[in-house]
């Protein structure tokens, strides 16, 4: 199932309380899964950040663009739409156009921590960004819909944006 492009290392940064074990287990069938960027060594790797860990993954990607091959942000809390009580991180939002790798941002439709409207900020500002919503999931997608998250992240790591129908094309990929 994994292609030559997808084999390698995936680092998971989880600050959600440790609910990423199903994701870790699901990804380890095709990739070497590491718990820190230091464990990835000198090779390029995929980086998956969950909740506040997504913020750390985003910061790491901006600081080390040469090491991150693909970025997945699950329930990121760094950017929040205007009107949100917690506000937006204006500095982080201004740096989003500097993300150079393919990026997937995943939100649960029932997330009470970050409204789904935050997705448009990521999609508009990160040059190669795709957004996915998981039905029947709140902020802790890994606990609410573990298999859906594993399938979504695996597909993106393997196929990048080709697993999504492109908005620039009328062609549907097989």
């Amino acid at each position: 199932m994994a292609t030559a492009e997808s084999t390698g290392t995936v680092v998971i940064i989880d600050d959600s309380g440790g609910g990423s074990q199903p994701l870790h287990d699901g990804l380890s069938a095709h990739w070497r899964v590491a718990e820190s960027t230091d464990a990835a060594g000198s090779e390029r790797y995929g980086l998956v950040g969950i909740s506040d860990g997504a913020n750390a993954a985003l910061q790491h990607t901006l600081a080390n663009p040469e090491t991150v091959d693909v970025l997945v942000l699950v329930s990121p809390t760094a950017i929040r739409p205007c009107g949100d009580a917690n506000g937006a991180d204006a500095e982080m939002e201004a740096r989003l156009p500097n993300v150079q790798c393919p990026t997937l941002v995943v939100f649960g439709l029932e997330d009470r921590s970050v409204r789904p409207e935050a997705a448009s900020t990521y999609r508009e500002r990160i040059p190669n960004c795709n957004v996915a919503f998981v039905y029947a999931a709140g902020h802790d997608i890994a606990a609410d819909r573990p298999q859906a998250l594993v399938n979504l992240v695996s597909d993106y790591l393997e196929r990048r944006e080709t697993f999504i129908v492109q908005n620039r094309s009328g062609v549907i990929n097989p």
Side-chain angles (χ1 to χ4, degrees):
M1 176 198 251
T3 65
E5 178 180 283
S6 67
T7 56
T9 301
V10 175
V11 177
I12 298 175
I13 302 174
D14 180 10
D15 283 351
S16 68
S20 65
Q21 193 60 45
L23 182 60
H24 181 283
D25 294 346
L27 295 180
S28 65
H30 300 286
W31 295 274
R32 182 174 77 89
V33 179
E35 300 298 324
S36 73
T37 55
D38 292 338
S42 61
E43 67 180 282
R44 291 177 58 84
Y45 47 85
L47 184 56
V48 178
I50 301 171
S51 190
D52 288 339
N55 305 343
L58 184 56
Q59 290 172 350
H60 177 80
T61 301
L62 289 165
N64 304 284
E66 70 286 349
T67 63
V68 180
D69 189 42
V70 58
L71 177 64
V72 178
L73 306 173
V74 180
S75 302
T77 59
I79 307 302
R80 297 177 189 234
C82 292
D84 190 315
N86 295 316
D89 182 337
E91 180 183 337
M92 181 62 74
E93 189 172 336
R95 296 180 64 206
L96 290 179
N98 297 328
V99 175
Q100 299 302 308
C101 61
T103 303
L104 175 65
V105 184
V106 183
F107 292 96
L109 278 178
E110 298 172 9
D111 192 335
R112 301 292 179 242
S113 298
V114 180
R115 296 191 327 237
E117 293 85 5
S120 63
T121 301
Y122 290 96
R123 177 69 181 103
E124 291 168 3
R125 298 198 184 251
I126 296 175
N128 191 4
C129 183
N130 295 284
V131 174
F133 294 96
V134 179
Y135 292 94
H139 189 72
D140 192 354
I141 301 169
D144 295 341
R145 299 281 314 279
Q147 194 58 51
L149 184 61
V150 169
N151 292 344
L152 180 62
V153 173
S154 293
D155 282 351
Y156 194 77
L157 290 172
E158 184 174 341
R159 296 181 185 94
R160 307 297 196 267
E161 63 274 349
T162 61
F163 90 107
I164 296 173
V165 176
Q166 296 289 313
N167 65 357
R168 293 175 211 93
S169 169
V171 177
I172 297 177
N173 293 321

